[in-house]
Amino acid sequence: MVSTWEELDERLRPAVQESVSEFERVRPALEAVTREVRDSIQEIFTGTDLRPLFVTARTKSVESFRDKASRMLSDGDGPPSLVFPDPLRNLTDLVGVRVITTLPHEVDIAANLIKRQRHEFDCRGDREKDIGSIESGTYGYSSRHLILRTIQNDAVRTYQQLLGSDSGSYMFETQIRTVLAHAWSEIEHDIRFKSFNPKAWSPYFDRQFTATAAMLESVESTFADLHSRYEKVTGFWDPEGEGSVELTPDRIREVWQTLLPHVDRKSDDNWRWAAELLSAHGITTTTALASLLQADTITSVRRALDHRYSPGPDRLLDDVLLWNFGERHIELTANAPEAGTSRRDSLLRRYRQIRNFRARED
């Protein structure tokens, strides 16, 4: 790959070389700034509910600095000029921090936590990289980019003094992305950009990168859904929170469809009848229902009764209560006004099946 330095106009080389020499001189102090801001960013998450997978930082290498400082502008008429005439002060990515999270929603949480640290950092820029690709229906990795300015930092002041200033302020970049987006972007950078060779390139590479970005987006969405369901399910067991919510027909449907989404649901599911069955046994809270709907119990009930047709939730709930409470369930619910005259016979038949199954299993 031909570097921008190698293509740089000869008239601009002395200015760029001077900046590179200056960068080499002050870079050790800038590495101290890098460590300082990395530690500060990492400390922000202490005592919060967010635990990033890792927080890293890097100081731009001399070679990378030289290439970026060598970028040219040309209007076609006059001689070219430098995009960054004073790169030590124009560039905001000489120091870069990365915060890597597990799930997409944590990216926004991390960004908001960082931006609230106004005593340490002043946020001078906040953008979503590749958000345009989302809006246009194409694919690329998503990354939140913050441009932060330090406020009266001693390590920064030591660095700035080398440049003839006594300022404690310094602009640097913080990227926040998920671990999947991070892996994608690192591989893409190595293959598509860092090692780009026009003679060894194929449009198929672009196609593959687009395809993998789409797959990763789908995987991230699935992980996000799993996390959301996990949070909801664990909430059902919180006796001081969601677990204390009283059971109504709508609440029973919500709990059932969260815990057992794979169970067939029919248009005539009778959730009011389900509420009456539960109430007969004093089961009136979300936690009590969640403890009843255990996967191993559902499996055993299915095996014991060997349903000819896949039962709907109201029928399966009836069977689970029969499994747990036996004859008591029959006595409490067999004569319900809307149960019909054949309900007792049906319950007795099913209860015999359950007892026979348990005898065989024992």
Side-chain angles (χ1 to χ4, degrees), residues 27 78 110 123 145 173 202 209 225 290 292 299 302 315-316 321 324:
R27 191 174 183 277
C123 184
H145 286 210
E173 183 179 81
S202 165
F209 275 119
D225 289 344
L292 182 72
T299 299
R302 285 185 179 280
R315 167 58 191 275
L316 188 53
L321 290 169
N324 279 276

Side-chain angles (χ1 to χ4, degrees), residues 55-235:
V55 178
T56 64
R58 63 98 183 100
T59 308
K60 192 176 268 309
S61 68
V62 174
E63 180 183 6
S64 180
F65 175 87
R66 185 183 65 182
D67 279 343
K68 196 154 188 178
S70 299
R71 293 183 182 179
M72 294 182 294
L73 281 174
S74 178
D75 57 13
D77 296 326
S81 60
L82 293 172
V83 175
F84 306 107
D86 189 1
L88 277 168
R89 294 171 178 81
N90 298 151
L91 296 178
T92 58
D93 65 345
L94 299 183
V95 171
V97 178
R98 284 179 179 167
V99 179
I100 307 302
T101 70
T102 304
L103 298 168
H105 78 276
E106 294 174 334
V107 171
D108 291 337
I109 295 174
N112 291 333
L113 284 171
I114 293 170
K115 290 168 68 176
R116 284 204 292 266
Q117 309 306 309
R118 295 185 178 89
H119 62 289
E120 284 192 81
F121 306 113
D122 175 26
C123 184
R124 307 305 295 271
D126 180 358
R127 64 188 179 92
E128 181 86 13
K129 186 170 182 180
D130 274 0
I131 193 69
S133 68
I134 298 172
E135 293 167 352
S136 66
T138 57
Y139 286 97
Y141 80 90
S142 180
S143 179
R144 188 86 173 262
H145 286 210
L146 305 180
I147 302 298
L148 302 175
R149 181 176 67 88
T150 62
I151 297 175
Q152 302 307 319
N153 184 287
D154 290 339
V156 169
R157 182 170 287 106
T158 299
Y159 166 75
Q160 294 284 28
Q161 286 171 350
L162 294 175
L163 297 175
S165 171
D166 194 43
S167 172
S169 297
Y170 183 75
M171 304 269 277
F172 67 98
E173 183 179 81
T174 296
Q175 299 179 8
I176 312 168
R177 62 177 72 131
T178 66
V179 64
L180 290 179
H182 177 64
W184 189 93
S185 63
E186 289 293 294
I187 295 170
E188 186 207 33
H189 183 69
D190 285 345
I191 295 176
R192 182 183 265 174
F193 295 109
K194 187 170 20 175
S195 303
F196 181 69
N197 181 349
K199 295 180 181 179
W201 193 252
S202 165
Y204 190 69
F205 293 165
D206 290 320
R207 183 179 177 86
Q208 284 184 302
F209 275 119
T210 300
T212 55
M215 287 188 286
L216 288 180
E217 183 175 300
S218 178
V219 171
E220 278 194 338
S221 178
T222 300
F223 281 146
D225 289 344
L226 283 169
H227 175 76
S228 178
R229 185 178 294 275
Y230 172 78
E231 291 289 301
K232 194 169 186 178
V233 169
T234 54

Side-chain angles (χ1 to χ4, degrees), residues 227-276:
H227 175 76
S228 178
R229 185 178 294 275
Y230 172 78
E231 291 289 301
K232 194 169 186 178
V233 169
T234 54
F236 292 160
W237 294 89
D238 179 7
E240 304 300 322
E242 284 291 307
S244 65
V245 175
E246 291 190 2
L247 296 178
T248 63
D250 286 343
R251 180 62 169 180
I252 295 169
R253 179 176 62 239
E254 179 187 0
V255 174
W256 186 283
Q257 293 178 357
T258 300
L259 295 176
L260 303 168
H262 59 286
V263 175
D264 288 346
R265 296 190 296 274
K266 300 175 175 61
S267 60
D268 60 348
D269 288 336
N270 193 337
W271 297 105
R272 186 175 64 82
W273 171 237
E276 291 177 8

